[in-house]
Amino acid sequence: MRACIRISPDVRSRLEAEHASVPPRARQLLSVSFFQVHETHFLPIGTEEEMFNCVIWMFVLLCSSIADENSIRDADIFPSSPEIERGSTLKLFCVLGKQYTPHRNASHIIWKLNHELIAQENYNIVNETVSSITIHNFTYSKAHVKCFTKYLGKEQLLVHTEVKSGFPPDTPGNISCIYYIDAELTCTWTSGRETNLLTNYTLYRKMMREGKDDTLPNIVGSCRSKTESCSFYYPDTPYSSSFCFQVKAENVLGEASSECVPIPMEEIEKFEPPEILSVKKITGIKQLLTVTWKMPEKIISSQKLRCEVQYRNMFSNSSEFVTVTLNSAEKTGSCNLTGLWDSTEYSVAIRCASGASIFWSEWSRGKTASTEEKAPSEKVDLWRVIESLHSAGSRSVHLMWKPLNSFPPSGRILGYKIQYFPENNAALKMTNISTDQKIILLLNEEAYIISITAYNSAGNSPEAILRIPSTDEKTSQIIETVRTFTTDEEVVVEWIASEPEVTEYVVEWYEELGTDPFGRSWQYVSNSTNWKTNKKNFKPFICYNISVYPLCGNKVGAPYSVQTYVQEKKPSEGPVADTGIPGKNEVTIKWKEISKDKRNGFISNYTIFYKPEDGQELNETVNSDVLQYRLKSLQANTQYTVYIMASNEAGGTSGEPKTFKTLKFSKEDVIFIALPIGLSMLFLLGLWITCILKKHTFKKVCWPDIPNPAESIAVEWPLDASMNNAFFKGVTSEAKTVDFEDVSVLEHCFPEESQEGSLLMNCENHVSECTDINTKGTINGEKKILYNEENEVAKRFSPSMPYIITGQDIRSQMHSAWIPAKEIQPIEMLEDGLCGSQQTSLKNEENDNEEILKLEDFSEKALFNPYLKNSVKTREFLISENLPEHSKNETKSQSTVLPPFQQNVAGQSYVTLDMFGLATAH
């Protein structure tokens, strides 16, 4: 903001002279910015001399920056770093340098406030090289205004300046001073609103007229400061009661001065702190301390002094005060502190001040002392930990105790006296002295009584007594249950006792992994079944054992123990899975418990995660007491990945994954495959062994010896006639036996007859009926015997059934039995067994002079052989494997025709295969 006033002619002439001496470029700036010479000009803030000095300074600044046309910068901004009143209007000028003309001019200049472009309506082009910007209501405490040129779409920073806005200073107030005798005089004040601009303060010390409130025109002293305090230092610190103090504040926007406040020096003087000489007790007098101190040397004489004694016992946070009045002539002071606690240490400090001053000296250095001692009034808090019996019959008892927090305390404990003796023999009392609060006693299996007393210079405390039970003593369980839980700040233990007359308990707690018996904590509880303590007495993530012991006098009952965590977090590590040997569709996963120091809480469950290769992950959850689990319904011959997660209330941690592969076949599959094979092999082996051992028995059953009728003594056989027959000659001429394949048997071509005496019919009438004959080939060039399809030989064999025998059927040793008949007619027997198809070959063989055996009638009548009759119908053919081969020189086929048997002839003979002497060859 500006106001106008007429400038005196001499000032105007001096300004014009300075303007003429400035180079043309500077004159251009000055004519635009400052020197529009008119009848009315800018208002000088101070006197004309001050205004002239200000203008001279501005000219020097401008001349130093634009002294030469060749050294002028590319651009300049005026005024530089302005400080204005907040909310006022800001006006700046930007001047282009020589190198920018004639290609660019002021129309290419743009302005930015911090990083924001200022609107074009705030621009003003003064001439070709000067552009100005006007910002109304400038409220930034600090901001940067930047001048750019914009040419061909590109912006180039020319120059920038920092603009600050603030307020003129307020009138200082609340002036107060303090006088350190022969040292310094310091005054402080409040400056009011923050100006946000550099503000200077000047403290004036002025002399007042005697009896009047107005001040003298002269100033005794002053000091300058940029803060809200200022000091005068010795020797510029005269002592007077007629001083007043005034503060002046000024900055670029204005100034303000306070009133001159009168402050008497005697009211603001402050001493050095006194020095305590001694604090001591008086022997024989309890609850009293005597304090002695020395006053500071620099004290204004002829003034009354007052001192304040502060004392505090070391167990209290509050202090008590005693005031003592002294004369300035006294160099020392003393007082007695009474009503103190026995055996208690106290801390004492002192401060002093003049009678009229409002300022106390600083507190002296404190000193401590203790009152007279007395014997401890409370027994110690005693507890024990009993170890198990050693092999030598002794046991270690760990005793530990702590003094009770009695208030007031009894005094400083010098030591403890421990006495113990067997319960049944008090005469064996033993005594130990200890300055520690623990001791280990080695006792036998008997019950003991232990007592401990604390002592000091004044006497002993009452005894604390505890009974140690014998090793074979049984104690009843009085505590039925214990429950623990935590709140935000506390751990709570509650229990239920079965005997309500028990009113005292001991709560013991210690870390589960702690091995030092002296590391346990305990606390006595009376007339309550719950106990609370701060959480800070427990470590987080650590398992604690908490036990509650009932007390019956000096006897300790059986404890009830529980475990607890005051705070849990997830386990530090997970369990490691052991897959063992997997099966086809199942596997048993085993794992071990996590070590107690890494559980960080109570394990609530285990979760088994398993995933087949390229499959979906599955899981099973089991309780915390389960350490193995069988996974079922797995895929055969598949690789799985498995890992186990242990969980508590805070979360879960997984162990390392393990892989396993299921089998292709299970044990049952192998057994099902191997068992039949093994049994089969055993069966074959047994059968082979049985055949070896029982070969004669099998031979007798499967290949029985056929009775030879020729060797029978029941009848007499005409062997001579038969042996002379050409047929038998041909048979007996063979030296070899017939092989099994060389015998062919043809079924009979006649219908079965129910009666044994049925007549044989002529074969020619029945040849056409034989159509079901199987023909066997020749093996090794030999002839085969034809069999019936049903593989039966002579089933219900008729006595009149004819036998057709080839030349190969003759065995080497054949004995025939013939029963004579009255009339035997020849029957032609075919060689290869087909009755119809072989008639032609039979006739051809007859044409080749085939020998036909014809039997003559026997003149005598043979006797009836009942054995032969019965054996004919059930005889089975056993063919020897060693049948003789026919000689190559013999005819290819030879038939022997046997005469048929006559019907209804008494003593009709029966013909069997026994006549051929079939036997098993070995």
Side-chain angles (χ1 to χ4, degrees):
M1 298 188 301
R2 63 178 67 175
C4 295
I5 191 172
R6 184 175 298 277
I7 300 176
S8 61
D10 57 341
V11 174
R12 177 178 175 182
S13 62
R14 280 188 293 176
L15 290 177
E16 290 177 350
E18 292 290 344
H19 181 265
S21 64
V22 175
R25 180 57 173 266
R27 285 201 304 270
Q28 177 187 14
L29 296 176
L30 292 176
S31 62
V32 171
S33 305
F34 305 103
F35 293 106
Q36 294 180 359
V37 181
H38 200 268
E39 289 299 325
T40 303
H41 297 279
F42 297 121
L43 174 69
I45 296 176
T47 63
E48 292 184 355
E49 184 68 23
E50 291 176 349
M51 180 64 184
F52 179 77
N53 292 334
C54 181
V55 172
I56 294 300
W57 178 85
M58 293 177 64
F59 274 117
V60 171
L61 181 63
L62 290 175
C63 291
S64 63
S65 60
I66 55 173
D68 192 3
E69 289 286 342
N70 297 325
S71 62
I72 192 169
R73 293 181 300 173
D74 294 341
D76 287 294
I77 191 168
F78 297 98
S80 178
S81 302
E83 294 180 346
I84 63 173
E85 187 174 358
R86 188 166 299 176
S88 63
T89 300
L90 172 67
K91 188 169 185 178
L92 296 173
F93 297 87
C94 183
V95 182
L96 289 177
K98 181 179 180 181
Q99 72 177 64
Y100 291 104
T101 56
H103 303 289
R104 295 173 226 182
N105 52 41
S107 63
H108 295 110
I109 294 177
I110 60 174
W111 295 84
K112 287 186 178 181
L113 179 62
N114 290 332
H115 299 289
E116 297 179 0
L117 184 66
I118 301 175
Q120 291 284 342
E121 56 267 20
N122 296 323
Y123 296 2
N124 181 28
I125 299 176
V126 179
N127 54 37
E128 290 184 355
T129 60
V130 178
S131 174
S132 68
I133 185 70
T134 301
I135 301 176
H136 301 281
N137 191 22
F138 189 89
T139 57
Y140 291 90
S141 61
K142 182 189 295 186
H144 286 82
V145 179
K146 302 176 182 180
C147 176
F148 292 82
T149 61
K150 189 172 183 180
Y151 185 71
L152 300 177
K154 294 182 179 181
E155 295 182 1
Q156 181 179 357
L157 177 64
L158 298 178
V159 67
H160 69 91
T161 187
E162 183 181 68
V163 180
K164 293 182 180 180
S165 69
F167 303 96
D170 290 340
T171 301
N174 297 327
I175 301 174
S176 64
C177 299
I178 184 170
Y179 175 51
Y180 299 95
I181 297 178
D182 293 342
E184 65 178 271
L185 173 62
T186 301
C187 295
T188 60
W189 58 88
T190 58
S191 59
R193 178 177 58 175
E194 176 66 36
T195 62
N196 200 44
L197 299 175
L198 179 61
T199 303
N200 294 316
Y201 299 93
T202 303
L203 174 64
Y204 297 99
R205 184 178 57 187
K206 299 181 179 182
M207 184 66 71
M208 297 177 59
R209 290 180 180 180
E210 291 291 338
K212 296 183 179 180
D213 294 337
D214 55 341
T215 60
L216 296 174
N218 63 321
I219 298 175
V220 177
S222 65
C223 66
R224 300 179 66 86
S225 173
K226 290 181 170 44
T227 62
E228 295 178 340
S229 68
C230 194
S231 299
F232 299 97
Y233 296 96
Y234 183 83
D236 189 19
T237 57
Y239 186 83
S240 175
S241 299
S242 302
F243 284 142
C244 70
F245 297 88
Q246 183 183 29
V247 178
K248 177 182 177 182
E250 55 185 341
N251 61 16
V252 296
L253 300 179
E255 64 178 26
S257 298
S258 68
E259 295 181 355
C260 193
V261 179
I263 301 177
M265 297 290 286
E266 62 271 15
E267 296 181 1
I268 59 173
E269 60 184 5
K270 184 176 181 179
F271 298 154
E272 291 290 326
E275 179 184 358
I276 297 179
L277 298 177
S278 65
V279 178
K280 58 184 180 180
K281 61 186 176 182
I282 300 176
T283 305
I285 302 177
K286 297 183 181 298
Q287 302 179 355
L288 181 141
L289 290 175
T290 298
V291 182
T292 304
W293 67 93
K294 178 183 177 182
M295 296 297 295
E297 295 181 358
K298 294 181 179 181
I299 298 177
I300 298 177
S301 60
S302 69
Q303 287 187 359
K304 290 185 177 181
L305 304 176
R306 66 185 190 278
C307 293
E308 192 174 59
V309 180
Q310 177 193 44
Y311 61 97
R312 178 179 61 86
N313 68 70
M314 304 304 292
F315 302 97
S316 175
N317 293 324
S318 60
S319 299
E320 297 184 18
F321 301 90
V322 174
T323 302
V324 179
T325 303
L326 299 174
N327 193 313
S328 60
E330 298 181 77
K331 300 298 182 181
T332 61
S334 65
C335 74
N336 292 327
L337 303 178
T338 59
L340 306 181
W341 294 344
D342 291 320
S343 305
T344 303
E345 187 176 26
Y346 283 83
S347 175
V348 179
I350 301 174
R351 67 179 181 177
C352 296
S354 65
S357 177
I358 61 175
F359 295 109
W360 287 91
S361 68
E362 299 295 332
W363 287 102
S364 67
R365 289 185 179 182
K367 279 196 174 184
T368 59
S370 295
T371 57
E372 191 79 6
E373 286 186 339
K374 73 173 184 177
S377 59
E378 297 289 339
K379 62 183 180 179
V380 298
D381 190 354
L382 177 63
W383 189 235
R384 88 290 182 274
V385 175
I386 305 174
E387 290 188 353
S388 58
L389 191 67
H390 300 166
S391 59
S394 60
R395 52 183 171 158
S396 297
V397 177
H398 300 259
L399 292 179
M400 42 195 168
W401 59 89
K402 51 190 175 182
L404 290 178
N405 295 324
S406 59
F407 193 79
S410 299
R412 186 171 62 91
I413 303 298
L414 299 179
Y416 302 91
K417 182 167 63 175
I418 303 100
Q419 294 180 322
Y420 58 99
F421 56 88
E423 187 177 29
N424 298 327
N425 192 355
L428 299 178
K429 180 180 290 188
M430 289 167 281
T431 302
N432 288 340
I433 300 296
S434 174
T435 56
D436 295 329
Q437 296 180 359
K438 59 185 178 180
I439 193 172
I440 299 177
L441 300 179
L442 195 63
L443 307 179
N444 57 27
E445 63 273 8
E446 295 183 73
Y448 275 78
I449 301 297
I450 299 176
S451 65
I452 296 181
T453 58
Y455 64 89
N456 60 12
S457 59
N460 296 332
S461 70
E463 286 185 328
I465 301 175
L466 200 62
R467 179 181 181 272
I468 306 300
S470 62
T471 56
D472 57 352
E473 185 176 334
K474 304 297 181 181
T475 57
S476 60
Q477 186 69 52
I478 298 177
I479 308 297
E480 295 181 350
T481 182
V482 174
R483 184 175 72 98
T484 64
F485 60 92
T486 59
T487 62
D488 293 338
E489 298 294 335
E490 293 181 323
V491 177
V492 182
V493 181
E494 296 178 346
W495 60 89
I496 299 175
S498 59
E499 298 182 8
E501 60 271 12
V502 178
T503 59
E504 190 172 13
Y505 304 89
V506 174
V507 178
E508 178 191 64
W509 68 96
Y510 59 94
E511 296 181 18
E512 183 185 17
L513 300 179
T515 57
D516 183 13
F518 293 123
R520 302 189 181 190
S521 302
W522 75 96
Q523 186 170 335
Y524 281 78
V525 179
S526 299
N527 301 320
S528 178
T529 56
N530 66 75
W531 171 77
K532 299 178 181 179
T533 187
N534 197 295
K535 270 187 176 181
K536 295 180 180 179
N537 296 325
F538 294 82
K539 297 178 182 178
F541 322 127
I542 299 296
C543 181
Y544 280 85
N545 291 332
I546 299 180
S547 302
V548 179
Y549 294 81
L551 295 181
C552 300
N554 61 356
K555 294 183 179 181
V556 180
Y560 193 106
S561 301
V562 294
Q563 291 183 329
T564 187
Y565 286 86
V566 297
Q567 185 178 352
E568 295 188 20
K569 69 176 181 180
K570 66 180 183 178
S572 300
E573 65 179 22
V576 179
D578 181 11
T579 59
I581 301 176
K584 177 183 178 182
N585 300 111
E586 61 183 24
V587 66
T588 299
I589 306 298
K590 298 180 180 180
W591 61 93
K592 295 182 180 179
E593 288 185 311
I594 304 173
S595 59
K596 293 181 179 179
D597 59 328
K598 296 182 179 179
R599 294 179 188 175
N600 303 328
F602 293 114
I603 301 299
S604 57
N605 58 66
Y606 295 99
T607 304
I608 302 101
F609 294 89
Y610 60 101
K611 177 180 178 296
E613 192 174 16
D614 300 330
Q616 184 179 1
E617 185 176 71
L618 305 174
N619 65 82
E620 298 288 344
T621 301
V622 297
N623 293 331
S624 59
D625 58 345
V626 177
L627 297 178
Q628 67 177 27
Y629 187 78
R630 178 175 294 180
L631 299 177
K632 300 180 179 180
S633 302
L634 303 180
Q635 302 175 16
N637 196 27
T638 303
Q639 181 167 315
Y640 281 82
T641 300
V642 63
Y643 62 92
I644 302 172
M645 181 178 70
S647 302
N648 56 24
E649 289 186 358
T653 302
S654 300
E656 295 181 0
K658 293 294 184 69
T659 59
F660 67 90
K661 188 173 184 180
T662 53
L663 302 178
K664 188 173 184 180
F665 298 102
S666 63
K667 294 181 180 179
E668 292 77 8
D669 295 339
V670 175
I671 291 174
F672 289 153
I673 295 173
L675 185 61
I677 296 176
L679 293 177
S680 300
M681 295 180 66
L682 289 176
F683 175 76
L684 294 176
L685 180 61
L687 182 61
W688 181 76
I689 294 174
T690 303
C691 290
I692 295 300
L693 298 177
K694 301 293 184 179
K695 64 179 180 178
H696 296 292
T697 303
F698 280 112
K699 179 179 178 182
K700 186 178 293 185
V701 174
C702 297
W703 296 282
D705 293 334
I706 305 300
N708 190 356
E711 298 177 358
S712 176
I713 60 174
V715 292
E716 192 173 311
W717 298 92
L719 297 177
D720 296 336
S722 61
M723 294 300 295
N724 293 329
N725 191 287
F727 172 74
F728 294 103
K729 290 179 180 180
V731 172
T732 56
S733 64
E734 297 291 333
K736 299 179 180 180
T737 59
V738 181
D739 202 6
F740 179 77
E741 287 83 358
D742 298 332
V743 179
S744 299
V745 179
L746 298 178
E747 287 190 359
H748 62 84
C749 300
F750 311 102
E752 279 189 350
E753 295 293 336
S754 63
Q755 299 180 2
E756 295 179 359
S758 300
L759 297 177
L760 296 173
M761 299 180 65
N762 194 319
C763 185
E764 293 178 355
N765 298 327
H766 299 281
V767 169
S768 61
E769 298 179 6
C770 299
T771 59
D772 299 327
I773 304 303
N774 295 329
T775 304
K776 302 289 184 177
T778 302
I779 302 177
N780 297 327
E782 298 177 353
K783 300 290 182 71
K784 304 295 180 178
I785 300 176
L786 300 178
Y787 285 94
N788 182 272
E789 287 181 356
E790 291 80 2
N791 297 320
E792 294 183 359
V793 180
K795 184 179 181 182
R796 297 183 61 85
F797 188 73
S798 174
S800 60
M801 178 179 176
Y803 287 79
I804 302 172
I805 304 172
T806 64
Q808 298 177 358
D809 295 333
I810 307 303
R811 307 184 188 269
S812 61
Q813 297 177 357
M814 180 185 68
H815 299 283
S816 301
W818 294 91
I819 301 176
K822 289 183 179 182
E823 191 176 21
I824 299 175
Q825 298 181 358
I827 301 176
E828 295 180 359
M829 306 299 291
L830 303 181
E831 182 180 5
D832 294 323
L834 290 176
C835 298
S837 63
Q838 297 296 330
Q839 291 180 2
T840 306
S841 67
L842 182 59
K843 291 179 182 180
N844 293 334
E845 292 173 359
E846 289 178 349
N847 294 333
D848 292 335
N849 298 322
E850 180 182 0
E851 183 181 357
I852 301 175
L853 177 62
K854 296 183 180 180
L855 301 176
E856 299 294 335
D857 294 338
F858 294 95
S859 59
E860 65 267 21
K861 193 181 257 186
L863 296 176
F864 177 73
N865 191 339
Y867 171 77
L868 295 175
K869 178 180 179 180
N870 294 331
S871 64
V872 169
K873 300 176 66 175
T874 60
R875 186 69 61 211
E876 295 182 4
F877 293 89
L878 301 178
I879 308 301
S880 173
E881 296 177 357
N882 300 321
L883 295 179
E885 296 182 1
H886 288 288
S887 177
K888 295 180 181 181
N889 298 327
E890 294 182 3
T891 58
K892 187 177 181 181
S893 177
Q894 183 177 353
S895 299
T896 302
V897 180
L898 299 180
F901 295 94
Q902 296 180 2
Q903 186 179 5
N904 299 328
V905 178
Q908 171 68 52
S909 59
Y910 291 85
V911 182
T912 71
L913 276 180
D914 298 339
M915 65 191 316
F916 301 121
L918 300 177
T920 304
H922 299 286

